[in-house]
């Protein structure tokens, strides 16, 4: 049976671990709140970009762009794909990383001719360990998503697309839904379907023609590059928030499990302690009885000799 000292040491160890999980929970909560605030500050800019793209299509709906499917509805050839996979730098975040990697493996099964671009140390190490080729690893941390890094990633992916080395670009990220449950998604960002930028019925029609310099096609292409950067930035922040939320859930589950174990150990400790006290009382009582019998025996011997 485990003695009381061993139980106390184990309870002390669990409480120390609980301090760490509580700290990680608070840190994850702070990081998630900060990232969401940064995204909210940049969102109006990209909302305005989307409005301008809609305005261009309202002005000239038949404009051609390399970033859109042709206006006649025909589809481009599907040869090589590019897939940006966003993971975390470390674990302890529940199923967050595995869900993103599982979605990437599904994409590779559906279309084997896919070039992987990876963000996050966890994803890099996983693909390296399983001998899955990666076209490009972005070596900066996934813990600090910024717009400048999103633009760097966007520029590299667009360069592959502009040089016709890839025909489609996908982003695998984790979407933090309204109920705070992360869902791994695979979204195509290039080429776009024109219906994604169809104007709503309540929007005012364009009555006065706009002037585009140097041309409407170049203006649209330039705007779309910024729009792609915004989408990637949003995916980075969304994944980062999902990671922190998953880590909060994992740490909260760890805390609850620790409380459960501490409760069981406390009961076990009380039982062992009570058993030890009972044994001590029994030993003291037995010793007292032995001393009493010894005194009585001595008294009887003295009476017999007198």
């Amino acid at each position: 049976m485990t003695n009381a000292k061993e139980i106390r040491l184990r309870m002390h160890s669990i409480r120390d671990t609980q301090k760490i999980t509580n700290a990680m929970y608070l840190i994850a909560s702070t990081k998630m709140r900060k990232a969401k605030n940064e995204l909210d500050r940049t969102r109006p800019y990209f909302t305005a970009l989307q409005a301008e793209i809609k305005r261009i299509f309202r002005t000239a709906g038949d404009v051609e762009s390399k970033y859109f499917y042709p206006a006649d509805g025909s589809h481009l050839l599907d040869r090589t794909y590019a897939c940006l996979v966003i993971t975390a730098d470390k674990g302890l975040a529940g199923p967050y990383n595995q869900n993103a990697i599982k979605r990437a493996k599904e994409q590779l099964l559906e279309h084997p001719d896919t070039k992987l671009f990876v963000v996050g140390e966890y994803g890099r190490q996983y693909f390296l360990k399983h001998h899955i080729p990666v076209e490009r690893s972005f070596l900066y941390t996934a813990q600090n998503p910024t717009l400048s890094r999103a633009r760097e990633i966007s520029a590299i992916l667009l360069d592959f697309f502009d040089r016709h080395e890839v025909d489609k670009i996908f982003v695998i990220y984790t979407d933090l839904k309204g109920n705070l449950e992360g869902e791994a998604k695979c979204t195509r960002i290039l080429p776009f379907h024109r219906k994604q930028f169809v104007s709503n019925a309540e929007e005012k029609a364009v009555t006065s023609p706009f002037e585009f310099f140097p041309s409407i096609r170049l203006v649209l292409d330039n705007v779309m590059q910024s729009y792609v950067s915004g989408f990637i930035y949003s995916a980075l922040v969304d994944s980062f928030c999902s990671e922190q939320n998953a880590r909060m859930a994992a740490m909260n589950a760890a805390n609850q499990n620790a409380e459960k174990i501490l409760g069981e150990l406390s009961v076990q400790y009380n039982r062992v302690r009570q058993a030890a006290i009972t044994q001590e009382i029994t030993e003291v009582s037995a010793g007292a009885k032995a001393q009493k019998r010894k005194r009585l025996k001595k008294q009887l011997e003295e009476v017999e000799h007198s």
Side-chain angles (χ1 to χ4, degrees), residues 205-216:
V206 177
T207 56
S208 301
F210 292 95
E211 294 185 4
F212 299 93
F213 182 83
S215 68
I216 187 171

Side-chain angles (χ1 to χ4, degrees), residues 79-268:
R79 293 184 294 253
T80 305
Y81 292 176
C83 186
L84 176 66
V85 184
I86 302 174
T87 64
D89 289 327
K90 54 187 177 181
L92 297 177
Y96 168 80
N97 288 301
Q98 287 300 322
N99 287 343
I101 290 174
K102 179 182 177 182
R103 194 67 188 87
K105 292 169 69 175
E106 291 174 355
Q107 175 67 22
L108 289 173
L109 287 175
E110 293 172 4
H111 195 87
D113 190 8
T114 298
K115 295 182 178 181
L116 293 180
F117 298 78
V118 182
V119 173
E121 185 65 25
Y122 193 99
R124 286 193 291 271
Q125 293 300 324
Y126 179 88
F127 292 124
L128 177 64
K129 181 179 178 181
H130 291 80
H131 307 289
I132 300 175
V134 174
E135 182 69 25
R136 177 72 178 268
S137 290
F138 300 100
L139 298 179
Y140 41 74
T141 175
Q143 295 296 305
N144 185 26
T146 62
L147 186 55
S148 61
R149 288 177 176 173
R151 284 172 175 156
E152 292 175 8
I153 297 172
S154 174
I156 293 171
L157 293 175
L158 287 173
D159 182 59
F160 275 84
F161 188 83
D162 293 340
R163 289 189 281 112
H164 303 289
E165 293 188 22
V166 297
D167 296 318
K168 291 183 180 180
I169 298 177
F170 292 83
V171 177
I172 293 178
Y173 68 103
T174 307
D175 181 28
L176 186 63
K177 299 185 292 185
N179 55 0
L180 295 181
E181 291 183 3
E183 177 186 0
K185 288 186 174 182
C186 182
T187 303
R188 189 193 72 250
I189 58 173
L190 284 178
F192 289 98
H193 280 297
R194 295 167 186 267
K195 63 182 181 181
Q196 292 178 243
F197 298 94
V198 173
S199 301
N200 296 327
E202 62 271 14
E203 292 183 0
K204 294 182 179 179
V206 177
T207 56
S208 301
F210 292 95
E211 294 185 4
F212 299 93
F213 182 83
S215 68
I216 187 171
R217 181 175 179 175
L218 290 176
V219 170
L220 180 60
D221 288 350
N222 186 60
V223 172
M224 291 311 302
Q225 292 174 8
S226 296
Y227 186 80
V228 170
S229 299
F231 185 94
I232 292 176
Y233 174 62
S234 177
L236 288 171
V237 175
D238 210 5
S239 294
F240 179 72
C241 291
S242 298
E243 176 197 348
Q244 301 309 316
N245 182 70
R247 183 162 290 112
M248 288 168 60
M251 294 303 103
N252 184 53
N255 286 334
Q256 292 179 356
N257 188 47
E259 289 294 340
K260 181 180 179 181
I261 295 175
L262 285 173
E264 294 173 353
L265 288 176
S266 179
V267 172
Q268 185 179 354

